Amino acid sequence: MNRKELLQKAGMAVAVSGILSTLSAEDHDHTTAMPTAGKSKYAKAMMAAIHCQLSAEVCLSHCITELGKGDKAMAACAASTREVISLCDSFVKLASQNSSFTKKLANLCVEVCEACAKECDKHANHHAVCKECRDSCLACAKELKKV
């Protein structure tokens, strides 16, 4: 693992840790009128989408680096991770609001996550970040199918 990969993984770990601590802190009753992710019926799906989004961010960064080195094979992977990032972010936003469109977006998100997992699978044996992205996309799709 090179220095850049180490920094990417450390950054992702810090981000996930912060999100988890925020969500666990929200589980306490502070008598607020706002619903919290910990109490949401979509809490597990939102956590899977957040993890997937973060993994896709790291993968996209890696793809851009590889594209810069001339590895054109990473172009489709970069495109699919951008789609995952956008949809997972949108899903979390709608689900946290208990939107009536949450299920429809979850179905589209499943489709995009599965397509990204298929693309990342092509690189999973050579790039650990692609393997991580593939695995988190599959886990996200599995959880979102329950919505």
Side-chain angles (χ1 to χ4, degrees):
M1 177 183 310
N2 64 32
R3 183 173 181 251
K4 184 172 182 175
E5 288 174 337
L6 177 64
L7 290 173
Q8 287 174 334
K9 288 190 182 265
M12 187 171 154
V14 168
V16 170
S17 174
I19 290 166
L20 291 175
S21 66
T22 300
L23 288 177
S24 67
E26 288 178 349
D27 282 339
H28 301 311
D29 184 17
H30 295 284
T31 62
T32 62
M34 297 294 292
T36 63
K39 296 178 184 176
S40 171
K41 64 183 175 180
Y42 302 118
K44 286 184 180 181
M46 286 191 295
M47 289 303 296
I50 289 168
H51 183 263
C52 186
Q53 181 181 358
L54 290 172
S55 295
E57 290 277 7
V58 173
C59 190
L60 175 59
S61 178
H62 175 75
C63 289
I64 291 169
T65 299
E66 293 300 309
L67 284 165
K69 294 177 184 176
D71 187 354
K72 305 274 190 229
M74 302 304 286
C77 191
S80 67
T81 56
R82 283 194 329 261
E83 293 170 342
V84 164
I85 292 163
S86 295
L87 281 178
C88 284
D89 182 58
S90 297
F91 172 79
V92 170
K93 288 176 181 176
L94 287 184
S96 67
Q97 299 169 34
N98 289 315
S99 169
S100 60
F101 297 102
T102 301
K103 184 165 179 57
K104 285 183 180 181
L105 186 56
N107 291 333
L108 179 58
C109 202
V110 166
E111 187 178 338
V112 170
C113 284
E114 287 175 345
C116 186
K118 185 176 179 181
E119 188 59 43
C120 283
D121 192 52
K122 296 175 185 177
H123 311 286
N125 291 333
H126 308 300
H127 304 283
V129 293
C130 291
K131 181 183 182 306
E132 171 63 28
C133 187
R134 177 201 63 196
D135 294 347
S136 73
C137 280
L138 292 174
C140 184
K142 181 180 178 183
E143 198 59 47
L144 290 177
K145 286 178 181 178
K146 299 175 187 175
V147 170

